[in-house]
Amino acid sequence: MQVFVTGASGWIGSGVVPELVAAGHQVRGLARSEQSAARLRAAGVEPVPGGLDDLGSLRSGAENADAVIHLAFKHDFSNFAASGRSERAAMETFGEALAGTGKPLLFASGVALVRPGQVVTEEDASPFTGSEAPRGGAEALALGFADRGVRPIALRFAPTVHGTGDHGFLATLVGIAREKGVAGYVGDGANRWPAVHRDDAARLVVRALENPDAARVVHAIAEEGVPARAIAEAIGRGSGVPVASIDPDDVDAHFGWIGAFFALDVPASSALTRERLGWEPTEAGLLDDLAAGHYFSRAAA
């Protein structure tokens, strides 16, 4: 089938695209720069010029595809509300373009704030609605498109999607440890973070695309919750710095923007996803991936 992908050249998208191509799908990807377009062409993808705010490009891409995989998001932590409004506008555009077609609409979401402190399952509804909610309340909005003749699928990714080339959560923590001379965790470090290797997540996305009626909510979670202290200890070993508890009152000063997230306890299960889609992660876990050394060789470069 012909698949329109936003975020095709991003961290998760660049893992999903080769899986789509290998499965025989034709891929068109949103490209906001010529550099992104060149990367997409090299991956066998037809670029579609435009960004997330180019609603005409989003509408055209969706209308001319058999399915949409929406992975892009504006990770602007200085104005997260604006990012949410942009996300909502994009989702509304996809809903209008696909209404009545029965086409699948797969979209990135997350588990981090659904039920902090409790193990989140695929049966737990997102508590966020409205344009001012996190991510613009886009998950609840999109799942409602089922009543309008669309087949929506929420792809809830672990907050830590790791692997070689990752410049996100783990790489940021490694950089902070090197800068501060200490690998920190908050309080007692017992709070848990779910994790998934990007390659496992990418294979799950393709499986969900090809089985669009198997599940409305999919959890890309390989590990239910890795303790923050264990993450800090692995970073300390890899960076050659000591490990220490950071007082909750000092989190912002030590970690910056990522501190509020790293302090959360957000375990999540993927049991129903595995049962419904026959998915089983096979790649390295988070701590083993840190032990492999690639996060630290990049940081040292």
Side-chain angles (χ1 to χ4, degrees), residues 24 30 41 74 76 87 92 118 142 150 160 171 198 229 248 267 285:
L30 191 69
R41 292 190 193 98
K74 291 183 176 181
D76 181 0
E87 175 72 356
E92 288 171 341
Q118 302 178 64
V150 182
T160 306
R198 184 186 64 166
R229 180 167 183 166

Side-chain angles (χ1 to χ4, degrees), residues 274-296:
R274 298 179 194 221
E275 176 185 333
R276 292 165 177 170
L277 287 166
W279 173 70
E280 195 61 42
T282 59
E283 303 293 336
L286 186 151
L287 298 180
D288 285 341
D289 208 7
L290 281 168
H294 55 87
Y295 279 95
F296 308 104

